[in-house]
Amino acid sequence: DSASARCHWQLEFSVNAELTVVSSGELKEYSLSSDEKHKSYVFNLAIPTAATGIGFAIGNFEVVAEPTKNNVAYFCPKGMVPLLQHTTEFLQRVYPIYVDYMNMSLPFGDYKIVFVDELLSDYQSYASLTTASINLLHSARIIDQTLHTRRALGMAIASQYFGVFIVPESYNDTWLVVGIKNILFLLFMNKIFGNNECRFWVYQQMMKVYNFECDQLLPPLHLKDKSQSYPLTSGNNSQIFHMDPMLTPPHILELMELKSMLVMRIVENRLGNKELIQNVIKKLLSLAWINPSGESSSINALLSTQDFLKTIQVVSGKDLSDFMSRYVYQPGFTTINFSFAFNRKRNVADVTIKQKTLHDCEKYVGQLTVLVQELDGSFSNLLQVEKNDVLQELNCQSKSRRNKKEKSTDCNSALIPLH
């Protein structure tokens, strides 16, 4: 079942009376048998969805409705409602963040989060449904779990837009959907946890990718030839990478997702205005939602790298072909080291830029924005980076001031220096 094979769904379940069914789609029918031993559920999913986007959970659940949204509910095993209420309380602040940013409510209408036992990961995303591990539930007394749980649920909601509603046209385009999903997630992180925590989390993910690639290069995020293979070597070990999730080691897939997020942040900075990437995301969602007949389009909900580049050119007028060749179609990275010395007499900072590459990667050539913290505030400067070491001067905007010693007198008229 591929992402391009999308259709409408009607799901019917018959279970014992003590069980509850939570499924993708909207609940259309519910009935109890004449002997009151069985219950029947009928769910309808009107938006074309691939088979991989269909999920359901059956169990002895209790439900808690989201107080700010009539179409959102949370489920958990019996006896865990107090934990469920505390864990999901913050989500009423999350939904407006995504809705205001994209001018679009939840794409499948209603939305359910079901906490289940023995889930292989923190969460799994399906159409209008997220199954989450009960390990994410916590009480108000458990502070350490709060950060991890909120990050997982914030990412799960972002996946409803990019990952379930909009999916990659081929596995070769997965980096793009994952990257945009992480842009939404970083917006959530910034609003909920603050800018410092958000930037620190990005730094941690960047160091994971960097530490791995110091020993072994990750494959390119996008292979121009879909049948192309790429050799992965580490020491005496070697293997062939194919653009296929069933043939790629899980840790490689995880690191490629992190690298996709980092590359998409560079795209955001290259556009020069955060509103531009926001407009691009809105454009992609509007194309996926409406087709000439006025219904949800299953064709436009498939996102390819070429469609993304065309949308950027339409919205911003910028061509990212060179950027794609360097960051997406090729592997590798470069390390840029900065050092500076302040010249007090000339009131300038002498900045030295040195590059170091591993695995014969291409060096970076282009501009970098450097933020200098001065006495009167912070000032940004554009530096041109070349393949060779570069020494540049940055004119400081603040004038250097020496601390003058003030003098005072005591009751005996003696001069006392004040530092």
Side-chain angles (χ1 to χ4, degrees), residues 149-357:
T149 295
R150 294 189 175 186
R151 280 201 299 251
L153 296 182
M155 181 70 84
I157 298 175
S159 300
Q160 288 294 303
Y161 294 91
F162 287 87
V164 182
F165 178 60
I166 292 184
V167 296
E169 185 176 286
S170 67
Y171 190 74
N172 209 16
D173 302 305
T174 300
W175 76 273
L176 180 56
V177 174
V178 170
I180 297 178
K181 177 182 68 176
N182 276 278
I183 289 294
L184 299 178
F185 173 69
L186 292 180
L187 172 72
F188 154 81
M189 285 275 291
N190 197 291
K191 296 287 186 180
I192 298 298
F193 300 115
N195 186 56
N196 288 344
E197 177 64 28
C198 177
R199 293 176 67 89
F200 178 65
W201 183 84
V202 171
Y203 168 76
Q204 289 178 312
Q205 311 316 306
M206 180 181 67
M207 292 308 298
K208 288 181 183 178
V209 177
Y210 170 77
N211 292 332
F212 179 84
E213 288 204 294
C214 283
D215 177 60
Q216 172 184 339
L217 275 182
L218 288 172
L221 296 177
H222 184 282
L223 298 178
K224 284 190 173 182
D225 181 3
K226 296 181 181 180
S227 62
Q228 177 184 354
S229 60
Y230 187 83
L232 295 177
T233 58
S234 177
N236 296 325
N237 299 323
S238 62
Q239 53 186 318
I240 300 299
F241 170 81
H242 299 275
M243 192 58 74
D244 190 319
M246 304 302 294
L247 301 176
T248 306
H251 70 284
I252 297 293
L253 293 176
E254 180 183 356
L255 289 167
M256 289 184 69
E257 289 189 2
L258 295 179
K259 192 169 184 178
S260 299
M261 180 264 293
L262 299 173
V263 169
M264 194 57 64
R265 289 188 77 244
I266 301 177
V267 171
E268 185 178 24
N269 293 331
R270 282 295 180 95
L271 294 180
N273 188 341
K274 289 192 175 182
E275 292 183 357
L276 288 178
I277 191 65
Q278 180 182 0
N279 292 336
V280 170
I281 293 175
K282 288 180 180 178
K283 184 71 173 177
L284 295 173
L285 286 170
S286 63
L287 291 174
W289 184 251
I290 299 296
N291 65 11
S293 63
E295 298 179 353
S296 173
S297 171
S298 60
I299 298 177
N300 293 333
L302 303 176
L303 184 59
S304 69
T305 302
Q306 294 304 317
D307 291 339
F308 176 69
L309 295 177
K310 289 178 182 177
T311 304
I312 285 183
Q313 195 159 16
V314 170
V315 173
S316 66
K318 296 188 177 182
D319 184 9
L320 297 183
S321 300
D322 293 339
F323 171 86
M324 298 293 292
S325 298
R326 177 176 298 166
Y327 291 97
V328 179
Y329 301 145
Q330 294 182 9
F333 69 100
T334 181
T335 303
I336 302 177
N337 296 317
F338 288 83
S339 61
F340 74 94
F342 179 63
N343 190 324
R344 184 181 295 272
K345 292 183 178 180
R346 301 174 56 204
N347 197 35
V348 298
D350 297 324
V351 178
T352 303
I353 305 174
K354 296 182 178 180
Q355 284 196 68
K356 182 180 69 173
T357 60

Side-chain angles (χ1 to χ4, degrees), residues 402-413:
R402 294 182 179 179
N403 295 328
K404 296 182 179 180
K405 294 183 179 180
E406 298 180 1
K407 295 183 178 180
S408 177
T409 58
D410 62 2
C411 57
N412 297 321
S413 300

Side-chain angles (χ1 to χ4, degrees), residues 326 330-331 333-334 355 357 360-365 387:
R326 177 176 298 166
Q330 294 182 9
F333 69 100
T334 181
Q355 284 196 68
T357 60
D360 298 326
C361 297
E362 182 181 351
K363 288 188 175 181
Y364 174 77
V365 177
K387 290 186 178 181

Side-chain angles (χ1 to χ4, degrees), residues 9-13 23-25 41-45 54-56:
W9 292 83
Q10 180 171 301
L11 306 168
E12 300 181 7
F13 302 89
S23 172
S24 296
Y41 295 82
V42 177
F43 293 87
N44 183 54
L45 186 58
I54 301 300
F56 61 88

Side-chain angles (χ1 to χ4, degrees), residues 83 86-87 134-150:
L83 298 180
H86 176 75
T87 301
I134 60 172
N135 295 329
L136 297 179
L137 296 173
H138 63 91
S139 67
R141 300 177 61 183
I142 308 299
I143 301 176
D144 295 344
Q145 182 63 33
T146 303
L147 195 65
H148 178 74
T149 295
R150 294 189 175 186

